[in-house]
Amino acid sequence: MKLTVFGATGGTGRLLVRQALEAGHHVTAVVRDPARLPIDHPALDAVVADVLDAASLRPALDGRDAALSALGPHGRKDTAGVCSSAISAILEAMETAGVRRVVALSAQPVLRTGAGEPLWSRMTVRPLVRAVYRNVYADLDLMERRLTRSGSDWTVLRPPYLTDAPATGGYRSAVDANVPGSMTRADLARALLDVLDEPATIRHAIGVASLRR
């Protein structure tokens, strides 16, 4: 497939690009600074563009099969709303380019019900996390709502706490529910790629977490 990856220079984004190339995909990585993507591959194109500007994103999406967003906030005090603003620009550029499939990275606490999590976590940990990172989850919640209202074939992945540990070799998932545990970024990159070819995940949020060691 011909894929466009947003957030390609982030911790998860770099792994996503590498795994996509290893799987035989052609990857267009949207970056602000190509020097931050130290990957050299004949099937990789690095395109400098502004993820908040739909017009600048159009060339990175023309002729592509799908878009993947590994964008994330800059920190818990981030009030810029980068994820929700970027998905609006991405969706606009996708529509113009005739691309329908998009997979976007969200986070477990966006699911307010906490479905799939133990009761003690829903009653104690979740309210605290949402309070501390309220700007982050408000932005991700808005991003998800903009996807929901779009006519795209979207899938959202909601991982729990992320680590830089090696891949576990697999992951657990649940449709429209969370999966307790943590997740390595390598496992998350694999999950982002896997759902591309799973029609049952279209227009659903998928909870994911690494296999228990």
Side-chain angles (χ1 to χ4, degrees), residues 6 20 27 32 42 57-58 63 67 69 96 98 102 112-113 115 144 169-171 187 190-191 194-195 199:
F6 300 94
V27 178
R32 285 184 297 178
L57 298 181
R58 168 70 186 272
S69 174
T96 305
V102 57
R112 291 182 178 274
T113 65
E144 290 195 18
Y171 56 89
D187 290 340
R190 173 180 170 182
D194 283 350
V195 298

Side-chain angles (χ1 to χ4, degrees), residues 4-22:
T4 299
V5 176
F6 300 94
T9 59
T12 300
R14 287 194 300 271
L15 292 169
L16 176 58
V17 170
R18 289 188 183 279
Q19 290 187 26
L21 292 169
E22 290 168 1

Side-chain angles (χ1 to χ4, degrees), residues 7-91:
T9 59
T12 300
R14 287 194 300 271
L15 292 169
L16 176 58
V17 170
R18 289 188 183 279
Q19 290 187 26
L21 292 169
E22 290 168 1
H25 299 294
H26 185 285
V27 178
T28 299
V30 176
V31 299
R32 285 184 297 178
D33 179 6
R36 294 184 58 199
L37 187 66
I39 301 174
D40 186 20
H41 194 282
L44 173 65
D45 295 319
V47 174
V48 177
D50 180 357
V51 294
L52 304 182
D53 181 359
S56 76
L57 298 181
R58 168 70 186 272
L61 286 161
D62 276 333
R64 273 56 170 196
D65 300 304
L68 299 103
S69 174
L71 291 166
H74 299 301
R76 70 182 181 90
K77 295 183 179 180
D78 185 4
T79 59
V82 63
C83 294
S84 57
S85 297
I87 206 64
S88 293
I90 291 168
L91 288 168

Side-chain angles (χ1 to χ4, degrees), residues 108-153:
Q108 188 179 91
V110 175
L111 181 61
R112 291 182 178 274
T113 65
E117 298 178 52
L119 179 60
W120 65 266
S121 178
R122 282 182 276 165
M123 299 298 292
T124 57
V125 177
R126 172 168 299 281
L128 177 61
V129 170
R130 285 193 63 92
V132 173
Y133 294 92
R134 58 186 178 275
N135 292 330
V136 169
Y137 298 126
D139 180 32
L140 291 173
D141 180 69
L142 181 55
M143 178 198 75
E144 290 195 18
R145 285 190 278 122
R146 288 179 175 172
L147 283 165
T148 301
R149 292 195 298 264
S150 76
S152 67
D153 293 335

